[in-house]
Amino acid sequence: MAKPKVASVWLEACAGCHMSFLDIDERIVDLIGKVDFTATPITDFKEIPEVEVGVIEGALGNEEELHIAKELRSKCKILIAWGDCAVFGGINCMRNFMPAEKVLEEGYVHTATTVNPDGVIPCDEVPALLPQAIPVDRAVKVDVYVPGCPPEADVIYYVFSEILEGRIPTVPTDVMRYD
Ligand code: SF4
């Protein structure tokens, strides 16, 4: 029987959730025997194929991230919001207290390490910011929520194990980690 396919994307995020996935250690060998990892930040496939399970790390903060989230949703049967950024918006939402134009000005002009004497803010080269950073389920339907910053490796393994058994897991909220 063909192994179920999994694709994951890393959107407005720090990569910590994918690093936590690698923390499942040797159990990854067992998992690779059971699922086929396709497009992920680790495999670096350029196209998202049709998959059984899609995983989103990160919030949605710009038009490109919104597009990728919608594309993955349209190509997967089960969508997992993975980590606090995807589930709640996370640290990305700190910018929601000011207009997007001010955020760009801060990032491209005023940040101490920026050298931008003309004060030009790129608009064609980078995707347009959404008015606010939002959790994934504000844009697309999410089937499984895996909170935590990052989620514990054991929780990630539990989620995959449950899905492989044909169950949609519910992760208890007391597994969230902020240490
Ligand atoms: Fe990084 Fe935490 Fe967001 Fe995961 S939830 S992407 S670890 S900030």
Side-chain angles (χ1 to χ4, degrees):
M1 194 177 79
K3 294 190 281 187
K5 290 187 169 59
V6 176
S8 70
V9 294
W10 158 10
L11 302 179
E12 199 146 298
C14 77
C17 293
H18 275 85
M19 293 304 113
S20 194
F21 170 65
L22 296 179
D23 279 346
I24 68 173
D25 298 326
E26 67 275 7
R27 288 173 293 181
I28 202 166
V29 176
D30 177 48
L31 206 52
I32 286 171
K34 294 176 180 167
V35 303
D36 187 6
F37 287 99
T38 61
T40 75
I42 299 158
T43 57
D44 201 28
F45 282 29
K46 302 304 180 200
E47 302 287 333
I48 299 173
E50 300 279 339
V51 293
E52 274 70 34
V53 181
V55 178
I56 295 182
E57 170 188 331
L60 311 179
N62 66 40
E63 295 289 351
E64 183 185 31
E65 291 160 353
L66 184 61
H67 170 79
I68 293 170
K70 287 180 177 175
E71 185 182 4
L72 183 57
R73 174 70 273 184
S74 73
K75 290 187 170 175
C76 73
K77 297 191 175 104
I78 298 170
L79 184 66
I80 303 175
W82 196 2
D84 281 358
C85 292
V87 173
F88 305 115
I91 195 169
N92 310 286
C93 295
M94 287 178 69
R95 68 120 158 144
N96 292 352
F97 297 98
M98 62 178 82
E101 300 73 39
K102 279 276 175 210
V103 174
L104 290 170
E105 203 177 299
E106 193 61 33
Y108 284 107
V109 182
H110 300 308
T111 302
T113 52
T114 299
V115 180
N116 185 358
D118 300 328
V120 175
I121 296 174
C123 50
D124 294 332
E125 302 88 342
V126 295
L129 281 189
L130 300 178
Q132 295 195 320
I134 55 173
V136 173
D137 69 359
R138 288 272 300 275
V140 297
K141 177 176 172 284
V142 168
D143 302 299
V144 182
Y145 294 88
V146 187
C149 181
E152 295 273 4
D154 287 347
V155 175
I156 293 170
Y157 188 73
Y158 164 79
V159 165
F160 275 110
S161 302
E162 286 291 286
I163 289 174
L164 283 169
E165 291 294 328
R167 295 186 285 266
I168 300 292
T170 302
V171 178
T173 50
D174 60 3
V175 301
M176 288 189 278
R177 189 177 89 181
Y178 291 98
D179 56 355

